[in-house]
Amino acid sequence: MTPYKIIISGGGTGGHIFPAISIADAFKRRYPEAEILFTGADNRMEMTRVPEAGYRIAGLPVSGFDRRHVLKNIAVLLRFLKSLRMAKRLIRSFAPHLVVGVGGYASAPTLRAAASLGIPTLIQEQNSYAGIANRFLSRRADTICVAYDGMERFFPAGKIVLTGNPVRRALEERCEDKAAALEHFRLQPDRKTVLVVGGSLGARTINRGMQNGLPQLLDAGIQVIWQTGKGDHAAIRQQLERMDTKNRVRCLDFITRMDYAYAAADLVVSRAGAGAVSELSLLKKAAILIPSPHVAEDHQTKNAMAVASRGAAVAMPDRDAETLLPGAILSLLRDAARLESLSRAIGLLARQHSAERIVDEIEKLINRN
């Protein structure tokens, strides 16, 4: 039999890239001979992360709409049309059985091209509030995999399958050895640990809140694992070198062993991207969610409120993080009953084996066609 070929498209942030890689890994486990090609936006992080995961990727010159400077969108439209032509040539050359879109503007030209060429398409919508690109693409998509109930307000009900969001396999298999995780970061086993992650690219407001409150946290005996992102990393490292952190802060621009980071943490401070929320749910981690205000349709706020309304996380507006974050961390780490309640409630939102469920749907579409 001819090996299956699929294209997976999307990216821009880790919230799109890591689920895409999880789907690819799950498909490869089921079909080791399969050929998988990614498409993404030139000069975005997928062009690095996808090859690191062992997959080929083709870059497109596509970019997102500029909501502040409308005239700049003429160039955006021209880049989209060029990307559409490139995607059509790529699809004709690769001849995939199916194309998967994981969201973000990078997926739009590839899925649009696939649909125009009669190739089956599957969309994976990660958020509780669907983005414009996926709503637009859903009209011609064959299947739409979602992570939240009630998505019929965005998509045709007959196409929707509730699968949950894929997470990195290392997290799904999870590290439950907290002692080994703390040893990995050279931290002490008898202290409360907070993990601070502002997404794969960092978050300036969260970083400022931590910079302002770090002396207070250290005085309280708390230790910190801190993913700063590349933009702020050098400045924060310089600040830490001037402080006596008592060897209780591990500061990295990007954490590769997130399984250890989560295992070590008693509390997580995080953006409210769909991937982050899915990881926290699967691992039953008490969390403070600080939605990014710089995302389309403010979908992170909607994600955070969907979780907080169930008593499964603390939601904090981005504008408050610089001043209120340290106090919120201290308050939660001093309240064991509240931490346990948050952990239990967020665990109820988890959906296991989401990548495999999506591969099931890919299989169905390929066999149908």
Side-chain angles (χ1 to χ4, degrees):
M1 187 179 82
T2 303
Y4 286 141
K5 293 182 177 183
I6 64 171
I7 291 177
I8 302 178
S9 184
T13 67
H16 293 306
I17 297 163
F18 295 128
I21 292 171
S22 296
I23 294 168
D25 288 345
F27 196 79
K28 268 288 195 181
R29 287 195 296 273
R30 196 173 299 185
Y31 298 104
E33 302 302 317
E35 294 183 45
I36 299 175
L37 175 66
F38 282 72
T39 64
D42 278 334
N43 303 317
R44 297 305 297 265
M45 67 181 293
E46 57 263 32
M47 302 307 292
T48 301
R49 299 294 175 200
V50 169
E52 286 176 351
Y55 296 102
R56 290 189 296 144
I57 184 167
L60 302 174
V62 64
S63 61
F65 280 101
D66 191 324
R67 290 172 170 78
R68 294 183 179 179
H69 308 97
V70 178
L71 291 178
K72 290 186 178 181
N73 289 321
I74 297 172
V76 172
L77 179 59
L78 292 174
R79 284 193 289 271
F80 176 83
L81 293 173
K82 181 179 180 180
S83 298
L84 185 62
R85 291 193 297 271
M86 291 173 64
K88 283 185 177 180
R89 288 197 298 269
L90 188 69
I91 290 169
R92 288 191 177 107
S93 172
F94 187 69
H97 293 85
L98 178 133
V99 174
V100 177
V102 296
Y105 53 79
S107 67
T110 307
L111 266 76
R112 183 68 185 270
S116 71
L117 295 171
I119 306 295
T121 61
L122 178 146
I123 292 172
Q124 199 259 322
E125 172 56 60
Q126 296 145 20
N127 295 292
S128 60
Y129 191 92
I132 291 174
N134 276 352
R135 277 182 274 166
F136 170 70
L137 294 167
S138 69
R139 300 170 192 169
R140 300 183 68 179
D142 294 276
T143 300
I144 304 163
C145 296
V146 301
Y148 292 88
D149 292 312
M151 299 301 285
E152 295 84 1
R153 58 196 170 125
F154 303 112
F155 303 127
K159 298 181 179 182
I160 294 174
V161 181
L162 184 62
T163 59
N165 282 326
V167 301
R168 288 168 273 191
R169 194 181 185 196
L171 299 181
E172 192 142 31
E173 293 175 346
R174 81 186 63 184
C175 168
E176 296 184 348
D177 189 341
K178 186 174 183 179
L182 288 166
E183 184 177 342
H184 173 81
F185 290 104
R186 303 188 308 282
L187 295 172
Q188 301 171 38
D190 58 343
R191 295 186 183 275
K192 293 291 187 183
T193 304
V194 60
L195 168 63
V196 181
V197 282
S200 54
L201 302 176
R204 181 147 295 173
T205 313
I206 294 176
N207 286 341
R208 294 292 176 271
M210 289 300 298
Q211 287 177 285
N212 294 338
L214 193 58
Q216 181 184 5
L217 297 175
L218 292 175
D219 287 345
I222 292 165
Q223 54 194 7
V224 181
I225 303 169
W226 186 357
Q227 178 176 286
T228 63
K230 288 185 178 179
D232 289 340
H233 186 67
I236 291 171
R237 291 287 299 183
Q238 289 177 2
Q239 177 189 358
L240 294 176
E241 287 168 4
R242 295 191 298 268
M243 294 176 62
D244 178 13
T245 64
K246 305 177 178 66
N247 205 33
R248 283 195 262 123
V249 180
R250 295 292 168 262
C251 174
L252 304 103
D253 62 341
F254 184 79
I255 298 173
T256 55
R257 289 304 303 265
M258 278 302 296
D259 54 337
Y260 277 161
Y262 279 127
D266 298 289
L267 174 68
V268 180
V269 177
S270 174
R271 285 303 198 196
V277 172
S278 295
E279 291 175 358
L280 293 165
S281 302
L282 188 70
L283 300 174
K284 302 179 181 178
K285 286 294 171 180
I288 299 172
L289 297 177
I290 303 174
S292 170
H294 308 299
V295 295
E297 288 87 42
D298 197 24
H299 67 254
Q300 286 202 10
T301 295
K302 297 175 176 69
N303 291 345
M305 297 313 298
V307 179
S309 66
R310 293 170 169 82
V314 173
M316 177 179 291
D318 183 79
R319 63 180 177 273
D320 294 337
E322 289 192 32
T323 54
L324 300 184
L325 179 57
I329 291 171
L330 282 172
S331 176
L332 283 173
L333 287 178
R334 289 169 174 165
D335 189 343
R338 183 84 195 281
L339 285 176
E340 174 60 28
S341 174
L342 290 172
S343 171
R344 187 169 54 251
I346 201 167
L348 296 175
L349 304 179
R351 296 188 185 278
Q352 303 282 342
H353 310 302
S354 294
E356 284 73 16
R357 293 170 189 253
I358 292 168
V359 171
D360 289 342
E361 297 305 317
I362 292 173
E363 236 179 19
K364 291 176 186 175
L365 276 181
I366 290 175
N367 291 334
R368 187 196 308 170
N369 287 274

